[in-house]
Amino acid sequence: MIKTSYDIAVIGAGIAGASVAAELADHASVLLLEKEELPGYHSTGRSAAMYIPSYGPPKIQALTKASGDFFNNTPPEFCNTPLLTPRAEMLIARGDQLAAIESFMQHHSTIQSVTEIGAAEVLRRCPLLRKTYPAAGILDRSGSDIDVNSLHQSYLKKFRQLGGKLAVNEQVTRLQNLPGGWLVKTNSASFTAGVVVNAAGAWADEVGSMASAESIGLQPKRRTALTINAPANLDTTSMPLVADIDEAFYMKPDAGNLLLSPANANPTPPCDAQPEELDIAICIDQIERAFEIEVTSIVRKWAGLRSFVKDNEPVAGFSAQADSFFWLAAQGGYGIQSSPALSRYAATLILGNSFPEDLHAYGLDATSLEVKRLGC
Ligand SMILES: Cc1cc2nc3c(=O)[nH]c(=O)nc-3n(C[C@H](O)[C@H](O)[C@H](O)COP(=O)(O)OP(=O)(O)OC[C@H]3O[C@@H](n4cnc5c(N)ncnc54)[C@H](O)[C@@H]3O)c2cc1C
């Protein structure tokens, strides 16, 4: 018989839900509910798979740096292949964008891995660029590719090994806060749980309203990507991710192909995001202006949602309005690279444990990501 009563129900089995569920399962009975058949179907399966500690707002940078130790020293029982493969990030600027280089360097002057480089070095590192395009660049040597599928599947495996129950094709449709805890109704079943964790990605505000919690003002934004064949005879192994300094486009090697994105951020309601032809056309135009590349055919194209609140930092904390309802949302474009530290952060608060010293050392505390800061 299927168990129907749990200490904790986590809604959403993308990287946020899978990682926090794995952190919780050693201490509580945990149910992980996912509306799709495949847990990585939405944002988690559609990312550019980069780990860039200097990317994102301050608390995201802190969480990303705090995740570095886990990524680099992954316990073999969690995953026995490397989760990170070094890939530098190179920001490039045309002559009219040099002020942006100066401003970036001012804001990142304490990061040792970040250095300003001249046009010749930019061209040496990415021979595909048009010779007349870059005027200067910035190299961040601390970047890496993340094996997102291994990371996500390893969290789900750890969760199951610790006795957690993953239920797919189970869309939460109703949440009722009863005296003894939450009644969680899905399209096909009912469960009870003492605590509900809202890790529903772009749908987090919708799930919040089912629980009569505050709205966090979550805004999903569509980002498009495509892959093309890399030019023959080009060794892309050590080529960096190349991004426009104003984040107008980026390109990175991807398993023998090149991944391109117009770095768009189009506001949209939560949905199964699809690539729009206009975004693809803009992307190809930008890429062909900057690189000696003619895009004649596309191997694959897709779009995914990056969801933000007003300060672009994630939300991890209990609701002020709905008892025992925990928000884990708004990871924006950084939810993979920050997931090891963010899931530990969230699990600590959910379990009421003392705050981890190593996260303190990165300037984080139990209120850093609270809902209250949003004034909602
Ligand atoms: C093009 C692109 C590039 C990106 N590149 C990077 C990158 O390089 N590095 C990085 O760190 N991040 C990147 N990101 C961001 C990253 O993908 C997200 O921050 C992260 O995947 C968010 O994870 P999540 O678990 O919150 O969301 P999701 O993966 O969307 O998971 C939420 C889950 O909740 C489920 N759900 C929703 N409502 C319900 C319900 N009512 N009942 C049950 N289940 C429900 C959904 O089906 C979904 O599976 C990128 C994103 C995009 C789109």
Side-chain angles (χ1 to χ4, degrees):
M1 203 176 78
I2 300 170
K3 185 167 137 68
T4 57
S5 181
Y6 293 83
D7 297 327
I8 302 169
V10 178
I11 302 174
I15 193 67
S19 56
V20 77
E23 293 297 333
L24 293 166
D26 207 10
H27 310 273
S29 63
V30 184
L31 171 67
L32 178 56
L33 292 162
E34 170 53 53
K35 71 182 167 79
E36 305 291 350
E37 186 163 2
L38 292 174
Y41 180 74
H42 289 288
S43 301
T44 297
R46 306 182 191 201
S47 86
M50 282 301 293
Y51 173 86
I52 307 173
S54 60
Y55 184 46
K59 287 165 194 164
I60 277 290
Q61 287 190 28
L63 289 161
T64 303
K65 286 174 198 147
S67 298
D69 188 43
F70 175 84
F71 277 128
N72 288 307
N73 302 295
T74 315
E77 65 277 13
F78 180 81
C79 179
N80 55 17
T81 54
L83 289 172
L84 295 188
T85 307
R87 179 171 312 286
E89 180 200 33
M90 186 165 73
L91 302 172
I92 57 167
R94 298 180 305 267
D96 60 317
Q97 294 175 300
L98 291 175
I101 292 263
E102 209 174 297
S103 159
F104 186 96
M105 287 310 291
Q106 273 168 8
H107 286 96
H108 295 80
S109 57
T110 55
I111 304 182
Q112 280 182 350
S113 60
V114 172
T115 43
E116 189 173 340
I117 53 178
E121 181 62 7
V122 170
L123 290 167
R124 192 186 71 73
R125 289 184 178 267
C126 182
L128 273 179
L129 278 161
R130 292 188 184 277
K131 305 280 171 285
T132 52
Y133 189 88
I138 288 169
L139 191 70
D140 184 349
R141 292 180 179 78
S142 65
S144 291
D145 288 335
I146 309 175
D147 185 341
V148 179
N149 186 50
S150 288
L151 176 69
H152 188 213
Q153 291 304 323
S154 298
Y155 273 125
L156 291 173
K157 183 187 75 183
K158 177 179 171 184
F159 173 65
R160 284 189 293 256
Q161 283 171 347
L162 291 171
K165 163 79 182 152
L166 169 66
V168 296
N169 295 319
E170 292 285 358
Q171 176 165 6
V172 174
T173 53
R174 199 165 160 214
L175 290 168
Q176 218 178 332
N177 203 351
L178 302 173
W182 287 94
L183 179 63
V184 181
K185 289 201 169 176
T186 69
N187 48 306
S188 66
S190 292
F191 305 93
T192 57
V195 175
V196 165
V197 178
N198 179 4
W203 290 266
D205 253 341
E206 285 190 1
V207 168
S209 88
M210 287 180 208
S212 301
E214 59 280 81
S215 162
I216 58 169
L218 190 71
Q219 180 60 71
K221 295 182 180 177
R222 186 183 71 250
R223 176 156 288 188
T224 307
L226 58 136
T227 51
I228 59 169
N229 289 131
N233 306 324
L234 177 77
D235 180 9
T236 57
T237 333
S238 60
M239 230 171 69
L241 175 145
V242 180
D244 172 67
I245 184 77
D246 294 319
E247 209 176 342
F249 61 83
Y250 62 82
M251 184 206 77
K252 68 168 272 204
D254 182 66
N257 293 326
L258 296 175
L259 185 158
L260 320 176
S261 173
N264 53 323
N266 306 96
T268 167
C271 62
D272 183 357
Q274 298 300 320
E276 301 216 345
E277 286 310 315
L278 181 61
D279 298 337
I280 300 281
I282 290 171
C283 182
I284 292 173
D285 180 57
Q286 287 165 327
I287 293 294
E288 289 186 345
R289 279 169 200 259
F291 298 89
E292 300 272 3
I293 294 176
E294 199 190 339
V295 180
T296 49
S297 68
I298 294 172
V299 176
R300 188 165 87 87
K301 55 185 174 179
W302 70 96
L305 300 181
R306 302 155 81 245
S307 297
F308 298 87
V309 290
K310 63 182 179 189
D311 63 5
N312 294 333
E313 298 280 14
V315 177
F318 278 104
S319 163
Q321 285 181 18
D323 274 354
S324 304
F325 182 82
F326 191 90
W327 289 93
L328 180 55
Q331 293 88 341
Y334 332 98
I336 315 284
Q337 64 177 28
S338 58
S339 58
L342 184 55
S343 56
R344 282 206 300 126
Y345 179 104
T348 295
L349 300 190
I350 294 164
L351 297 167
N353 290 341
S354 57
F355 198 78
E357 274 309 312
D358 65 310
L359 298 185
H360 255 311
Y362 285 97
L364 299 162
D365 63 36
T367 63
S368 299
L369 308 175
E370 65 182 356
V371 184
K372 211 167 70 184
R373 76 178 199 269
L374 299 169
C376 48

